[in-house]
């Protein structure tokens, strides 16, 4: 038994260090696609940086930028990363998407209105909160922070998407871009049981973009009405929207805008009537409040899987947050089960990634807002610059407990292997091997004053 185990671990190690052979037979398809744009050295340095980004919209009240997932065989689960910014007192209008999203409130306060399991719920969100919204679920987001911008980082899972470049939003209200606007006016008139001029008012109102101001002092808009901030009159108008004709019953499935719209409006009214209504919607989870899964003098890390936040089970995404003190390093490690997408939140540092054949794949300086990705099995490390702490958040493509395998440090996987075999594999004597494996007394997060980039 013991011998078999030794042989097995030894083989594992061999496979890892010589994984090149395996990986090659799979073909690095992504290389070709990634290489398309780049030139020479720059291409090599930025291999695991996600640089291709697209401004999805910019409107009066804010904007959204999406960093596009790398493509190719090596990506077992692509993921776009969205950056949403909303000005104070703005509303991200009701919509549903063709992609499931996991939102992370980076900064600010918000109210999220969302339909889940046939119910409408409103959630107050603050910095550090995580919330999962499945594809096809209608939602809206209101910036409630006083005089504060709202920053949201969003992981977008395109696996159910219509295959467009980023994602496809379907705006429920809001003028000509509304999915309602495409219906024949007569259809709307009878479906909503409202007059033609009312339909005109609802649909032909000027589309001011997906994020709109909702200042009370300004002329009322359909959104101030929608939010129920103005008197009885508006309620009556909204109520009319509810009075739909039976003819639309065939559309009453989960993904239908009519269904969603009706539920939102209905629930808005319900909410104003009975305040503390129980809702079936999941609570959010605050990752800032979570106690560290690992911490020492050089920093901490937190990882969220579905044991901590159940909706992650359905999302198939895990979340982690790391804070390295200035000059510290997340020890070289690899993820055996998940691809990792990371976003730099604060400070600056360096990301090093190694090919399975042991050559450097990337060694790049990163700063706030940069997005990187690490395929599973690839060894990598993050190093904080010497001048400030380095903070990053990440999404992993598995909601199961991600068990990173450390290659260096007191919990290194090398330490659990037979030293004799290891020395043979490295072609050194045992004393040298022991020195190599056992000198580092710290684990996971290491002090690295000399390796750290200066600023
Ligand atoms: C349409 O609205 C009118 C009042 O405006 C109401 O009397 C009528 O019952 C409504 N019809 C349906 C089908 O809801
Ligand atoms: C990260 O650690 C630094 C100190 O090293 C601290 O000032 C900062 O607030 C931490 N960030 C978070 C989000 O806790
Ligand atoms: C290692 O693998 C990478 C990626 O396939 C390749 O570009 C590089 O040339 C390889 N290096 C060696 C020394 O085989
Ligand atoms: C390691 O393997 C060698 C030979 O394969 C064996 O003699 C030695 O006892 C093993 N050491 C440990 C600590 O298991």
């Amino acid at each position: 038994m013991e011998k078999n185990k030794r042989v097995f671990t030894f083989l594992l190690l061999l496979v890892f260090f010589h994984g090149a052979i395996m990986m090659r037979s799979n073909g690095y398809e992504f290389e070709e696609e990634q290489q398309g744009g780049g030139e020479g050295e720059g291409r090599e340095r930025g291999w695991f940086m996600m640089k291709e980004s697209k401004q999805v919209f910019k409107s009066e009240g804010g904007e959204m930028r999406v960093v596009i997932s790398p493509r190719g065989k090596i990506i077992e689960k692509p993921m776009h990363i969205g950056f949403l910014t909303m000005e104070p007192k703005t509303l991200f209008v009701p919509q549903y998407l063709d992609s499931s999203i996991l939102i992370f409130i980076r900064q600010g306060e918000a109210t999220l209105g969302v339909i889940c399991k046939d119910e409408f719920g409103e959630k107050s969100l603050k910095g550090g909160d995580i919330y999962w919204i499945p594809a096809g679920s209608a939602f809206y987001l209101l910036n409630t922070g006083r005089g504060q911008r709202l920053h949201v980082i969003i992981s977008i899972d395109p696996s159910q998407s219509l295959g467009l470049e980023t994602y496809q939003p379907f705006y429920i209200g809001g003028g000509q871009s509304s999915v309602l606007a495409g219906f024949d006016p007569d259809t709307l008139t009878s479906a909503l049981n409202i007059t033609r001029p009312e339909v005109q008012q609802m649909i032909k109102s000027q589309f001011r973009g997906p994020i709109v101001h909702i200042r009370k002092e300004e002329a009322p808009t359909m959104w101030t009405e929608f939010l129920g901030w103005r008197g009885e009159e508006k309620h009556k108008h909204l109520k009319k929207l509810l009075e739909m004709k039976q003819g639309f019953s065939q559309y009453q499935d989960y993904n239908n805008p009519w269904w969603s719209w009706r539920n939102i409006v209905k629930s808005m009214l319900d909410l104003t009537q009975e305040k503390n209504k129980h809702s079936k919607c999941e609570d959010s989870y605050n990752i800032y409040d979570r106690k560290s899964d690992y911490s020492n003098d050089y920093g901490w890390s937190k990882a969220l899987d579905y044991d901590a936040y159940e909706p992650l089970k359905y999302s198939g995404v895990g979340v982690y947050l790391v804070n390295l003190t200035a000059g510290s390093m997340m020890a070289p490690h690899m993820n055996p089960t998940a691809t990792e997408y990371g976003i730099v939140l604060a400070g600056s540092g360096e990301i090093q990634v190694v090919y399975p054949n042991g050559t450097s794949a990337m060694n790049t300086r990163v700063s706030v807002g940069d997005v990187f990705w690490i395929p599973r099995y690839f060894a990598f490390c993050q190093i904080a610059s010497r001048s400030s702490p380095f903070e990053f958040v990440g999404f992993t493509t598995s909601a199961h407990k991600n068990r990173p395998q450390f290659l260096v440090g007191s919990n290194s996987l090398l330490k659990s292997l037979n030293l004799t075999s290891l020395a043979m594999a490295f072609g050194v004597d045992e004393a040298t091997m022991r020195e190599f494996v056992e000198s580092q007394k710290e684990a996971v997060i290491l002090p690295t004053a000399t390796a750290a980039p200066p600023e």
Side-chain angles (χ1 to χ4, degrees):
M1 273 306 279
E2 191 55 35
K3 181 131 198 262
N4 281 347
K5 202 170 144 201
R6 277 206 312 270
V7 171
F8 179 63
T9 44
F10 184 53
L11 281 177
L12 247 185
L13 190 69
L14 279 179
V15 165
F16 179 71
F17 281 103
H18 300 279
I21 299 148
M22 252 172 48
M23 299 304 291
R24 244 190 229 133
S25 65
N26 283 340
Y28 272 126
E29 284 224 339
F30 76 108
E31 271 177 36
E32 327 257 305
E33 291 175 44
Q34 296 269 308
Q35 278 177 2
E39 279 298 327
E41 198 202 353
R43 162 210 305 168
E44 200 215 332
R45 280 185 64 247
W47 214 300
F48 297 98
M49 298 304 296
M50 283 160 60
K51 294 222 172 92
E52 191 187 352
S53 85
K54 193 181 170 189
Q55 189 172 60
V56 184
F57 63 80
K58 186 178 170 71
S59 64
E60 58 174 39
E63 62 177 11
M64 173 120 162
R65 180 170 68 89
V66 171
V67 175
I68 294 162
S69 176
R71 291 169 289 263
K73 239 191 216 167
I74 196 171
I75 317 289
E76 97 275 17
K77 186 170 170 182
M79 194 185 280
H80 305 310
I81 304 294
F83 293 86
L84 172 70
T85 309
M86 288 171 63
E87 298 298 324
K89 291 197 177 161
T90 52
L91 172 74
F92 195 15
V93 305
Q95 62 191 281
Y96 61 97
L97 310 180
D98 66 343
S99 308
S100 294
I101 61 172
L102 192 67
I103 64 173
F104 165 65
I105 307 290
R106 167 63 182 142
Q107 224 163 52
E109 284 166 40
T111 295
L112 173 74
V114 66
I115 291 173
C116 34
K117 297 183 197 134
D118 301 0
E119 291 272 331
F120 174 83
E122 263 195 333
K123 302 282 162 198
S124 294
L125 302 179
K126 61 175 195 298
D129 276 343
I130 285 163
Y131 201 92
W132 182 62
I133 304 171
S137 273
F139 70 95
Y140 63 87
L141 197 62
L142 181 65
N143 181 356
T144 52
R146 285 208 180 156
Q148 217 185 357
R149 273 207 183 133
L150 178 67
H151 291 280
V152 187
I153 295 176
I154 304 171
S155 93
I156 303 166
D157 170 5
S159 58
Q160 295 150 283
S161 76
L162 300 173
L164 303 170
E165 194 177 17
T166 53
Y167 67 92
Q168 180 61 55
F170 296 84
Y171 300 114
I172 296 168
Q176 282 159 18
S177 294
S178 164
V179 285
L180 301 184
F183 291 102
D184 180 78
D186 288 332
T187 310
L188 286 181
T189 309
S190 60
L192 292 167
N193 192 20
I194 55 179
T195 65
R196 192 73 183 253
E198 282 172 318
V199 168
Q200 297 290 338
Q201 187 198 345
M202 197 186 86
I203 297 306
K204 300 294 178 220
S205 63
Q206 196 194 352
F207 185 61
R208 290 152 62 205
I211 301 181
V212 294
H213 284 290
I214 39 150
R215 296 193 195 93
K216 279 188 185 179
E217 58 271 23
E218 281 181 8
T221 65
M222 69 175 285
W223 297 118
T224 51
E225 293 171 18
F226 172 77
L227 290 167
W229 285 3
R230 296 216 157 214
E232 273 303 301
E233 282 280 292
K234 275 71 182 181
H235 273 190
K236 230 163 72 191
H237 178 75
L238 288 176
K239 263 185 179 140
K240 277 193 179 162
L241 287 172
L242 298 177
E243 291 157 5
M244 288 196 285
K245 282 249 182 210
Q246 289 305 309
F248 274 79
S249 57
Q250 77 254 34
Y251 293 117
Q252 300 230 341
D253 69 306
Y254 197 69
N255 292 340
N256 188 265
W258 288 99
W259 186 93
S260 299
W261 170 255
R262 198 192 51 176
N263 272 272
I264 286 185
V265 174
K266 182 165 174 290
S267 310
M268 298 295 314
L269 299 173
D270 287 350
L271 277 181
T272 53
Q273 276 150 21
E274 31 171 333
K275 276 269 186 279
N276 297 318
K277 203 180 82 169
H278 174 72
S279 147
K280 279 190 237 160
C281 294
E282 294 281 350
D283 276 331
S284 55
Y285 187 97
N286 194 282
I287 195 169
Y288 291 165
D289 291 347
R290 182 182 172 82
K291 96 177 199 323
S292 300
D293 293 281
Y294 188 86
S295 98
N296 63 14
D297 290 349
Y298 313 105
W300 50 255
S301 72
K302 303 176 182 188
L304 252 192
D305 53 43
Y306 68 71
D307 283 340
Y309 179 51
E310 210 192 326
L312 292 182
K313 193 186 264 180
Y314 315 109
S315 73
V317 174
V319 186
Y320 68 88
L321 185 67
V322 175
N323 191 357
L324 306 176
T325 63
S328 296
M329 163 202 277
M330 189 84 178
H333 64 290
M334 58 101 172
N335 294 311
T337 55
T339 300
E340 191 172 311
Y341 296 86
I343 301 109
V344 180
L345 296 180
S348 63
E350 203 173 89
I351 314 280
Q352 294 186 15
V353 188
V354 176
Y355 281 125
N357 64 10
T359 58
S360 169
M362 184 177 91
N363 185 352
T364 297
R365 295 284 292 278
V366 292
S367 53
V368 176
D370 283 340
V371 184
F372 56 91
W373 69 284
I374 315 285
R376 57 184 168 171
Y377 313 130
F378 277 57
F380 66 107
C381 71
Q382 297 102 336
I383 309 172
S385 66
R386 270 175 262 164
S387 58
S388 62
F390 182 34
E391 229 185 280
F392 51 94
V393 69
F395 302 104
T396 54
T397 57
S398 165
H400 292 278
K401 229 173 206 68
N402 182 30
R403 296 184 197 281
Q405 301 292 303
F406 284 87
L407 307 171
V408 174
S410 65
N411 66 339
S412 154
L413 70 95
L414 298 189
K415 285 196 83 163
S416 53
L417 300 178
N418 177 304
L419 198 71
T420 313
S421 320
L422 208 50
M424 274 157 57
F426 277 85
V428 296
D429 60 62
E430 278 187 41
T432 311
M433 198 64 221
R434 189 183 306 278
E435 175 82 6
F436 178 72
V437 171
E438 293 180 359
S439 294
Q440 178 58 260
K441 301 288 189 280
E442 296 288 343
V444 183
I445 302 175
L446 316 173
T448 60
T450 50
E455 57 196 45

